[in-house]
Amino acid sequence: MTIAYFCVLIMGLMPYVATGIAKKGFKDYDNSQPREWLAKQTGFRARALAAQNNLFESLPFFFAAVIIASIAHAPQDRIDTLAMGFVLSRIAYLICYVANWPTTRSIVWLFGMICVVALFFQI
C-alpha cells in the first residue's frame, strides 16, 4: 500500500473522529435519535458536526485525485507528498473548526484544496 492510499484510508475515517468530538462525554446523548440530538448541539459540538460534514464533502475530490494521479502514473513520491499535505491540512482544519479559529481554518482549507488540485496537475 502506498502512502497516498494510506492517506485515503485515514481520510475515510476522519469524519468519524469529528463525530466522536461532537459526542464527547455523551452529554444527554440520545442514541435512539442521534441526528436530532446532534442538530440541537451548540458550541464545539456544533462546530465538530459541521467539520464532520465538510470532511465528508471533501472525500470524493481527494479520492478521485489520488486515484487519477495513480492511474496516470504520476511520480509516486509527489502523489504521496500531496496526499500527506492534504491529510495534515484536514487535521489542522478539524482542530481549527472545533477551536473556533475561522480565519486559520479557511487558510488550512485552502492549503488542502491546493494539494488536491496539484494532484490533478501531476498527470
Side-chain angles (χ1 to χ4, degrees), residues 68-79 119-123:
I68 291 169
S70 295
I71 290 171
H73 302 291
Q76 190 61 51
D77 61 328
R78 288 189 205 155
I79 297 171
L119 277 165
F120 282 101
F121 284 99
Q122 297 304 305
I123 54 177

Side-chain angles (χ1 to χ4, degrees), residues 81-95:
T81 300
L82 290 168
M84 287 187 298
F86 182 76
V87 169
L88 291 174
S89 74
R90 298 310 279 177
I91 291 169
Y93 176 85
L94 176 57
I95 292 167

Side-chain angles (χ1 to χ4, degrees), residues 7-116:
C7 289
V8 167
L9 174 62
I10 291 170
M11 285 307 305
L13 297 173
M14 194 171 306
Y16 303 105
V17 172
T19 300
I21 294 169
K23 295 177 181 178
K24 182 181 179 209
F26 294 96
K27 181 182 174 189
D28 301 322
Y29 180 68
D30 182 2
N31 196 41
S32 64
Q33 299 196 344
R35 291 179 189 243
E36 286 184 21
W37 180 85
L38 282 168
K40 295 176 187 174
Q41 299 310 300
T42 59
F44 82 90
R45 293 177 195 280
R47 291 191 301 274
L49 178 61
Q52 174 205 18
N53 292 335
N54 190 277
L55 287 163
F56 272 127
E57 292 162 1
S58 70
L59 293 180
F61 195 40
F62 174 64
F63 289 177
V66 169
I67 292 167
I68 291 169
S70 295
I71 290 171
H73 302 291
Q76 190 61 51
D77 61 328
R78 288 189 205 155
I79 297 171
D80 292 342
T81 300
L82 290 168
M84 287 187 298
F86 182 76
V87 169
L88 291 174
S89 74
R90 298 310 279 177
I91 291 169
Y93 176 85
L94 176 57
I95 292 167
C96 291
Y97 219 134
V98 172
N100 200 22
W101 301 332
T103 302
T104 307
R105 182 186 80 218
S106 295
I107 293 167
V108 297
W109 178 90
L110 180 61
F111 178 77
M113 294 285 43
I114 289 169
C115 289
V116 172

